[in-house]
Amino acid sequence: MTDQATVPQPGTPEIPGKPTSASRTTLSHIMTQADTNLLGTVHGGVIMKLVDDAAGAVAGRHSGGPAVTASMDEMAFLEPVRVGDLVHVKAQVNWTGRTSMEVGVRVLAERWNESTPATQVGSAYLVFAAVDADGKPRRVPPVLPETERDERRYQEAQIRRTHRLARRRAIMELREKRAAEGFED
């Protein structure tokens, strides 16, 4: 497994790492008529709020204080959710940087009154930034993957981070180029 706890940041004291299981959580909610869209299924925004709530709880637990949503990547809706479904939102920290964390979320649904297995209905990756009382970024403990699955999620999160940073860089370069050519966006 990755042992980030032994890799101190230059010029700063080492923060002890936390295992993946230390902040992992599940948020469960029964969907009602108030959660539906015009098609009669649960509104995607309701699911996204549950995803953000669970991910925020995990980020706050892992970082030991407030954390704010910086971005949401790859929110995938795999199956519709219906009124009467018991939705389980499972979240864990996949990766940590100096002040940010990627939280992976799986969304499962099962009928509230049946004993059938839950079905995965969605997934998302969110990036949170830990903040202090003044809203300034603060350091987070490294995440310590505990299982092969945690290690795989950690490695995949590093790939997503590399892609996010490359995309941001490419967009900024394009904007600078267009501004130099006299285009206003």
Side-chain angles (χ1 to χ4, degrees), residues 35-176:
D35 300 318
T36 61
N37 58 28
L38 296 174
L39 297 175
T41 56
V42 173
H43 196 287
V46 170
I47 301 299
M48 290 174 76
K49 182 181 184 325
L50 293 173
V51 164
D52 191 44
D53 287 347
V58 166
R61 282 173 143 179
H62 183 82
S63 69
V68 296
T69 311
S71 70
M72 178 184 271
D73 288 354
E74 300 178 38
M75 179 70 213
F77 297 100
L78 307 172
E79 298 284 336
V81 177
R82 301 172 293 160
V83 169
D85 281 353
L86 178 57
V87 172
H88 307 285
V89 183
K90 298 176 177 280
Q92 75 172 50
V93 173
N94 290 336
W95 174 89
T96 53
R98 195 174 65 79
T99 62
S100 64
M101 304 156 269
E102 183 193 271
V103 178
V105 181
R106 288 183 45 207
V107 183
L108 304 150
E110 62 181 307
R111 295 306 291 167
W112 70 275
N113 60 348
E114 297 175 8
S115 60
T116 55
T119 303
Q120 185 170 351
V121 295
S123 65
Y125 300 102
L126 296 87
V127 176
F128 279 80
V131 294
D132 63 17
D134 297 322
K136 303 286 186 218
R138 62 181 175 80
R139 291 193 51 217
V140 300
V143 66
L144 304 174
E146 298 173 279
T147 67
E148 289 300 319
R149 182 182 224 181
D150 293 342
E151 183 66 29
R152 176 188 54 80
R153 291 177 77 148
Y154 180 87
Q155 292 170 350
E156 290 173 357
Q158 288 180 300
I159 294 167
R160 282 187 294 274
R161 180 176 188 273
T162 299
H163 287 204
R164 276 191 296 271
L165 293 174
R167 182 176 58 234
R168 181 182 306 149
R169 224 177 0 262
I171 288 170
M172 294 309 292
E173 288 171 6
L174 177 63
R175 287 180 181 174
E176 289 171 8

